[in-house]
Amino acid sequence: MSTYQKLVVVRSSNDLRAATEIHEAPIPQPEAGHIVVQTRYSGVNAADYLMAAGRYLAPTPPPYDLGAESVGVVAAVGEGVSYFKEGDAVFAIGGGYREYFTVPASHAIPLPAATPDMVTIGVSGLTASIALEKVGEMTSGETVLVTAAAGGTGSFAVQLASLAGNHVIGTCSSADKAAFLRSIGCHRPVNYKDESLSEVLKAEYRKGIDIAFESVGGKLYDIALNALAVKGRLIVIGAISEYESGPQEVTRVRDSYKLLNKSASIRGFWLMHYLRDVPEHAARLLALIAEGKLQATYDPTTFKGVAGALDAIEYMYSGRNIGKVIVSF
Ligand code: NAP
């Protein structure tokens, strides 16, 4: 086989199937300092939809490859690469819905094995770990609210906040997800289909929320902001409930008035601004998993190959996933 398949955004569209095409390309040869990786598993991210729609944070005009991260095995090494050899398992941000990808060897993270759980530590695990520490200034003994808590990113945030000795509240949309959240150390799952998050916070958390790891946007953002404690930090991770419709416009008193009398803050986080922290946090996550302290959860629903990637993204947007959605190759 001398060619491979990849998923390419050919026109910006909110309709994933209109936006993308499967293209065939020659299997790359590694440049000096690079490795060629054969993909085993790709991670699905909420941002994939925005990328296809041309509405991601740093949009470029099509065509461009879709997908953000993969686990695979090294198929070839370029000149000057001594750290990796053929057959080694690696993770890389930059791989995507493609059977092969090239990456600078210095950007690849060595893994114990190219298994599906390893994809979860990528964009999801790293975002939770770096954002809570660097942006949330997480310590212990605080109250942490995680939204989309049973998803790929949220399930890491729940566990890391709980492991650090914090009290964790996690939002989700089903009883199965609430049970999963309890199993990973969430002290107070809130199934927002059954109970009102704002009522729960008012009744059970009078002092408020010290850290909100907020990735749903819309109403949940408003509730998290209103519930901040004195010196509370709201980390804006994303706004998935607004991705399909586009950003919601609101008319109300400026958020600054809600922050001032609490010395609270709203802080943004985008993983691409923290790439320097990736090796250290990836090593920490891998160690916690190896010690059995951290569960790398991926959804068991199977999506296969480049052709399965769009089904996988749509599945995530249906809100049914527990843990990370992955595509296997
Ligand atoms: P995920 O959490 O595995 O899956 C998405 C989850 O969002 C769903 O399972 C669903 O859980 C919840 N959700 C709530 N409202 C929704 C709606 N209207 N439509 C669809 N889903 C909804 O996905 P993920 O990739 O880990 O991303 C989660 C969030 O983190 C996204 O906002 C994403 O952009 C953000 N993120 C940001 C960064 C960064 O660098 N800033 C990095 C990674 C992820 P429930 O139904 O249980 O609520």
Side-chain angles (χ1 to χ4, degrees):
M1 194 176 78
S2 59
T3 61
Y4 75 98
Q5 288 194 331
K6 61 178 185 169
L7 194 61
V8 180
V9 175
V10 291
R11 64 191 71 82
S12 301
S13 171
N14 290 339
D15 175 349
L16 282 173
R17 285 163 210 282
T20 55
E21 285 175 2
I22 295 175
H23 285 187
E24 199 93 16
I27 293 176
Q29 293 299 311
E31 293 169 33
H34 287 62
I35 54 177
V36 173
V37 181
Q38 184 176 16
T39 307
R40 290 283 160 80
Y41 302 97
S42 288
V44 177
N45 288 287
D48 294 339
Y49 178 85
L50 292 179
M51 283 182 192
R55 290 191 276 119
Y56 196 51
L57 294 173
T60 48
Y64 48 85
D65 298 347
L66 191 60
E69 55 178 343
S70 292
V71 158
V73 290
V74 176
V77 298
E79 214 183 294
V81 175
S82 54
Y83 192 70
F84 291 111
K85 60 180 188 325
E86 279 181 36
D88 283 351
V90 294
F91 166 84
I93 290 174
Y97 306 121
R98 45 194 299 154
E99 293 169 325
Y100 284 84
F101 64 94
T102 309
V103 67
S106 57
H107 292 188
I109 292 168
L111 296 175
T115 47
D117 54 332
M118 289 292 114
V119 192
T120 67
I121 66 147
V123 172
S124 291
L126 290 167
T127 291
S129 184
I130 300 171
L132 283 172
E133 181 186 297
K134 298 270 172 190
V135 183
E137 298 179 74
M138 182 173 76
T139 55
S140 59
E142 293 193 311
T143 299
V144 179
L145 169 70
V146 179
T147 57
T153 307
S155 61
F156 275 99
V158 165
Q159 293 181 82
L160 293 171
S162 185
L163 273 174
N166 296 290
H167 179 94
V168 184
I169 308 159
T171 70
C172 66
S173 61
S174 73
D176 285 352
K177 288 186 176 195
F180 164 70
L181 285 177
R182 256 179 233 106
S183 78
I184 60 166
C186 179
H187 303 91
R188 180 59 166 102
V190 177
N191 172 359
Y192 57 77
K193 294 267 168 77
D194 280 353
E195 53 184 346
S196 147
L197 176 64
S198 55
E199 292 305 319
V200 168
L201 296 179
K202 265 184 219 142
E204 299 174 32
Y205 298 93
R206 298 230 171 116
K207 285 190 178 159
I209 301 301
D210 299 301
I211 300 178
F213 184 93
E214 209 298 285
S215 64
V216 170
K219 250 202 243 165
L220 287 191
Y221 167 88
D222 293 338
I223 294 170
L225 177 63
N226 289 332
L228 282 180
V230 169
K231 296 186 185 171
R233 291 87 74 197
L234 190 162
I235 318 172
V236 178
I237 298 291
I240 189 169
S241 70
E242 301 180 43
Y243 290 171
E244 287 172 287
S245 57
Q248 276 173 17
E249 293 192 13
V250 291
T251 309
R252 63 175 179 214
V253 172
R254 287 204 168 84
D255 287 352
S256 53
Y257 288 88
K258 294 186 173 170
L259 303 173
L260 183 59
N261 65 353
K262 289 181 180 171
S263 298
S265 53
I266 302 171
R267 307 167 178 196
F269 173 86
W270 188 29
L271 181 61
M272 300 315 279
H273 292 146
Y274 288 86
L275 292 180
R276 210 180 277 173
D277 297 295
V278 163
E280 185 192 333
H281 283 259
R284 276 198 227 166
L285 292 168
L286 286 169
L288 287 170
I289 290 167
E291 289 165 22
K293 292 180 179 162
L294 186 64
Q295 189 177 312
T297 308
Y298 60 92
D299 190 279
T301 314
T302 309
F303 300 99
K304 194 90 187 107
V306 176
L310 298 183
D311 294 336
I313 299 168
E314 285 168 357
Y315 175 70
M316 168 188 276
Y317 272 80
S318 76
R320 280 174 290 162
N321 62 301
I322 293 186
K324 181 96 181 167
V325 182
I326 56 173
V327 177
S328 51
F329 286 81

